[in-house]
Amino acid sequence: MIAPDHYSFNIFNSLILGGIVQGFIFGAVVATSKKYRDTSTLILAVLIVIFSLNNLQYYVADARIFRLRYLYGYTWTPLQLLMGPLFYFYGLKLLHPEKPIPKKTAIILLLPFAFGWLAVTYLKATRTYLEAKPDYLLLEAILEFVSNFLAIYAVVRLFFETRIADRKEQAFGISKVLPKLKWFRNILIAFFILCIAWLIVIVMMVLDIQPYGVWYIIWISLSAMIYWIGHVGIYKFGVMEEIKKIRSHSLDRSSIVVVTNKQKSDHLTLFENLKKKKKY
């Protein structure tokens, strides 16, 4: 621990802390509510919680609650490597709720986290932060580049997936079945811009330009974007569930009408046949 007079609390990391608390509450509500019990919403909740845990470990370092050697030596886990894959999985289930996530895709996208976790564990087991600080910082930079690449890959792939879904919607006239995708596409565009800014900041930090003020802005912006996706995603899920219920009720009523009409037409046919027989 660090002496209280060395703590570094400011408006920026206080905003991050508020987001962390909100993320944990969001995950708990979704996980315990039957109303939101769906694969897409559960993936979204996992994304929010993982992101909050990742923010928490960097928050305690930024606020100097723990010394860096304790963070890197004991609690450091490359959770940022899961952000892109989980976001991609959520997008796939949002666009194709009836299709399972391909196992090959899941394995390929989760492998970077597995390798990253092994690299971090090996480094912590063999050398302390004080003994090999350059190695720790180098590995952290590599992990940041990889996590940024995964996030950009997820955003670009999902953007093209939304275009394909739109074309299918127009071709088959199923606009009442698929969710409206404009909100999600706008989020993808904003997320892509933030990812590019995130990449620029990583490069600046590697070059030792030290853009700490800019890094705070990117950190807060990414956090706000992820949490916003969570709240909008849950809201849109609720709207779609209500639409499905309304459509299901309408189809049930229309089927009753069809059966009734069919029964009437049978009676009319029988009556006409009897009239014809009487004529002869």
Side-chain angles (χ1 to χ4, degrees):
M1 293 287 291
I2 297 177
D5 58 335
H6 289 166
Y7 290 156
S8 179
F9 299 111
N10 54 55
I11 184 62
F12 298 112
N13 56 36
S14 296
L15 289 173
I16 294 296
L17 180 60
I20 292 169
V21 174
Q22 184 185 57
F24 290 146
I25 295 174
F26 177 91
V29 170
V30 174
T32 57
S33 175
K34 293 182 179 180
K35 181 180 178 181
Y36 303 119
R37 195 63 55 85
D38 185 78
T39 304
S40 64
T41 54
L42 290 177
I43 292 175
L44 187 59
V46 172
L47 169 62
I48 299 298
V49 172
I50 292 294
F51 187 79
S52 297
L53 285 171
N54 187 63
N55 273 352
L56 179 61
Q57 64 178 351
Y58 285 105
Y59 167 80
V60 296
D62 186 74
R64 299 183 183 179
I65 297 174
F66 293 103
R67 295 187 185 276
L68 287 177
R69 66 172 180 266
Y70 297 131
L71 168 67
Y72 287 106
Y74 300 103
T75 64
W76 185 32
T77 307
L79 295 174
Q80 67 268 37
L81 293 174
L82 292 173
M83 183 176 71
L86 287 173
F87 181 69
Y88 184 64
F89 298 156
Y90 166 70
L92 287 181
K93 294 304 295 183
L94 176 70
L95 300 174
H96 312 290
E98 75 288 349
K99 295 181 180 179
I101 298 171
K103 290 183 179 180
K104 184 178 179 181
T105 300
I107 291 173
I108 291 174
L109 290 180
L110 293 176
L111 271 178
F113 172 74
F115 289 135
W117 181 82
L118 287 173
V120 168
T121 302
Y122 173 78
L123 187 60
K124 289 192 294 187
T126 55
R127 283 162 287 178
T128 66
Y129 177 74
L130 294 179
E131 293 172 342
K133 182 178 178 180
D135 295 336
Y136 276 84
L137 296 180
L138 175 61
L139 179 57
E140 184 180 30
I142 293 173
L143 295 176
E144 284 293 319
F145 275 116
V146 175
S147 60
N148 179 266
F149 170 78
L150 290 173
I152 292 176
Y153 172 82
V155 169
V156 173
R157 280 295 302 269
L158 287 174
F159 185 82
F160 284 107
E161 288 285 344
T162 59
R163 298 293 295 273
I164 294 172
D166 270 345
R167 284 198 291 267
K168 289 182 178 179
E169 179 180 323
Q170 294 171 3
F172 296 102
I174 52 177
S175 59
K176 292 183 179 179
V177 180
L178 288 176
K180 297 297 181 181
L181 301 175
K182 185 177 180 180
W183 71 273
F184 190 60
R185 191 179 297 112
N186 290 338
I187 283 178
L188 291 175
I189 294 171
F191 202 6
F192 179 78
I193 295 172
L194 283 176
C195 285
I196 297 301
W198 176 20
L199 176 61
I200 293 172
V201 171
I202 295 172
V203 172
M204 293 173 68
M205 294 184 71
V206 170
L207 297 176
D208 202 25
I209 299 178
Q210 300 183 7
Y212 293 121
V214 179
W215 174 247
Y216 269 126
I217 296 174
I218 298 301
W219 189 11
I220 293 173
S221 299
L222 282 171
S223 300
M225 178 61 65
I226 294 295
Y227 296 133
W228 176 249
I229 291 171
H231 289 289
V232 175
I234 288 296
Y235 169 75
K236 293 293 183 179
F237 173 78
V239 171
M240 285 307 302
E241 288 299 302
E242 290 299 321
I243 291 175
K244 288 178 182 178
K245 290 179 182 178
I246 294 171
R247 292 190 71 252
S248 177
H249 180 68
S250 300
L251 289 173
D252 289 341
R253 293 188 63 183
S254 63
S255 63
I256 294 173
V257 172
V258 170
V259 171
T260 304
N261 290 339
K262 185 177 179 182
Q263 290 173 347
K264 288 182 179 179
S265 62
D266 289 342
H267 287 303
L268 287 172
T269 303
L270 180 61
F271 179 72
E272 290 174 355
N273 290 336
L274 289 172
K275 287 181 66 178
K276 288 179 180 178
K277 288 180 180 179
K278 286 183 178 182
K279 288 181 180 180
Y280 294 99

